[in-house]
Amino acid sequence: MNSCNILVVEDHADSAEMLQRLLARTPGWHVQTAGSIEEAIAKLDATRFDMLLCDLALPDGDGCDLIKQIHDRRPVDQRIKGIAVTGHAYPADEARSRAAGFLSHVTKPYDIEQIVSLLKKHC
C-alpha cells in the first residue's frame, strides 16, 4: 500500500474524529483533520497532502470554494485530489462539486467502505 497524506475537513468533531480513526487504520495512511476552511488552509500551507476529504457545508464557507481556492494557488500537477462528503444529495449538488474540482461526491450518511475504496483508488 502506498503512503497517503489525507486531510479530513469536517466541522462536526465526532465525525472528524471517527473518520480519522477509521482511515488511519489503513497502513501508510496519515490523517489529519480541520474543522473549518481557515484551519484547512493553514494545514495545507504547512503540510503536503495527497487527498482532501471535505464536507461541503462548513462554518466559514463552502467546501467547493475551498477546493477552488486550493487549485487556484497551485500548478495543475500539484493540485490536491478531493472527495466531497455532504448531505446535499441532488444531482445539481454533485455536478457543482465535480465542477469545483472534486473527483467524487459522497452523500451522508456515508458508507465508510465506499470512502476507503475511493481513497485507495486515488491515493
Side-chain angles (χ1 to χ4, degrees):
M1 175 73 46
N2 293 334
S3 177
C4 188
N5 289 331
I6 303 165
L7 179 60
V8 174
V9 183
E10 170 61 66
D11 61 318
H12 291 88
D14 290 343
S15 296
E17 181 181 344
M18 183 222 25
L19 282 168
Q20 181 179 29
R21 286 184 187 192
L22 291 172
L23 298 176
R25 290 181 181 172
T26 301
W29 286 8
H30 308 281
V31 184
Q32 292 187 40
T33 63
S36 66
I37 289 176
E38 181 180 358
E39 186 180 358
I41 292 293
K43 289 192 176 194
L44 287 159
D45 286 344
T47 305
R48 184 191 163 282
F49 289 95
D50 303 299
M51 290 294 302
L52 176 71
L53 184 63
C54 186
D55 189 2
L56 294 185
L58 296 163
D60 58 346
D62 183 273
C64 288
D65 295 333
L66 172 61
I67 199 159
K68 285 179 194 174
Q69 182 178 350
I70 295 166
H71 286 181
D72 287 347
R73 296 169 57 178
R74 296 182 178 181
V76 173
D77 63 334
Q78 294 179 15
R79 290 183 178 171
I80 192 168
K81 298 173 188 172
I83 298 171
V85 179
T86 181
H88 303 262
Y90 292 106
D93 297 317
E94 182 172 357
R96 184 174 158 270
S97 69
R98 288 185 182 271
F102 287 103
L103 299 173
S104 298
H105 181 97
V106 177
T107 56
K108 295 178 181 178
Y110 48 79
D111 174 356
I112 192 65
E113 292 305 318
Q114 178 187 16
I115 290 174
V116 168
S117 177
L118 288 167
L119 288 169
K120 284 181 178 179
K121 178 181 176 182
H122 296 295
C123 274

